[in-house]
């Protein structure tokens, strides 16, 4: 999806396929969003909305990434 795409149709389509595969395997679809510390809150919400559009209810959010954890202040 383009960086300015708020509805994220490509991500939503991928998440729908993931949800369908999980349902067929009788496994709970779970998603973890690993957001970089500098991520825009609006973009994280866009990803949450894509997950909701794919009917994925079990979502966790992690903050930071490996590069930021190893960086000095």
């Amino acid at each position: 999806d383009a960086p300015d795409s708020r509805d994220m149709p490509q991500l939503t389509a991928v998440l729908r396929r993931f949800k369908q595969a999980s349902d067929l395997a009788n496994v709970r679809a779970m998603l973890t969003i690993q957001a970089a510390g500098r991520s825009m809150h609006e973009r994280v919400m866009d990803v949450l909305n894509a997950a909701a559009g794919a009917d994925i209810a079990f979502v966790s959010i992690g903050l930071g990434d490996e590069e930021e954890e190893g960086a000095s202040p």
Side-chain angles (χ1 to χ4, degrees):
D1 292 302
D4 61 346
S5 172
R6 297 297 314 266
D7 58 351
M8 304 185 82
Q10 293 173 344
L11 177 61
T12 302
V14 169
L15 292 175
R16 282 186 181 133
R17 288 194 303 271
F18 169 65
K19 174 72 163 108
Q20 290 171 348
S22 296
D23 289 348
L24 288 172
N26 291 319
V27 176
R28 180 181 293 163
M30 300 174 73
L31 175 67
T32 299
I33 301 169
Q34 186 69 32
R38 295 180 301 255
S39 296
M40 299 287 295
H41 292 108
E42 292 84 3
R43 197 59 171 168
V44 174
M45 294 303 299
D46 293 342
V47 175
L48 285 170
N49 288 334
D55 200 28
I56 297 175
F58 295 93
V59 180
S60 63
I61 300 174
L63 298 176
D65 56 25
E66 291 180 19
E67 288 181 21
E68 290 179 344
E69 290 174 10
S72 58

